[in-house]
Amino acid sequence: MSDKKLPPPPTFPPSFTAADKFCLFHKGDLSEAIYTCPKCKTIYCLECAKNAQADGKSCIKCKQIVLL
Ligand SMILES: [Zn+2]
Ligand SMILES: [Zn+2]
């Protein structure tokens, strides 16, 4: 009983893109109108992007300034 075989790793369902439907500004589901960061392609709500631009905030992931 020396050959220990590890079970195969679990396969993930192809639903990982659901994480992309998440707005990092308000930490919730994206609205219909979206803004895509030109640098890192992270998607935010258009409204959140407008608020971020008004507040002088930048992309949470890459710190690229919001350009609308
Ligand atoms: Zn970005
Ligand atoms: Zn949002």
Side-chain angles (χ1 to χ4, degrees):
M1 296 293 268
S2 60
D3 65 321
K4 287 179 195 167
K5 275 186 181 174
L6 289 170
T11 52
F12 292 99
S15 61
F16 58 89
T17 49
D20 293 334
K21 306 260 184 183
F22 185 80
C23 171
L24 288 170
F25 276 134
H26 81 268
K27 305 276 199 294
D29 289 340
L30 283 170
S31 57
E32 275 187 36
I34 57 161
Y35 165 79
T36 308
C37 173
K39 195 172 174 187
C40 70
K41 309 299 179 200
T42 298
I43 300 168
Y44 301 104
C45 312
L46 189 60
E47 276 304 308
C48 287
K50 282 179 182 173
N51 291 336
Q53 189 185 45
D55 294 347
K57 291 178 187 168
S58 48
C59 175
I60 288 166
K61 279 200 176 171
C62 73
K63 307 301 179 194
Q64 164 73 44
I65 193 164
V66 176
L67 300 166
L68 287 164

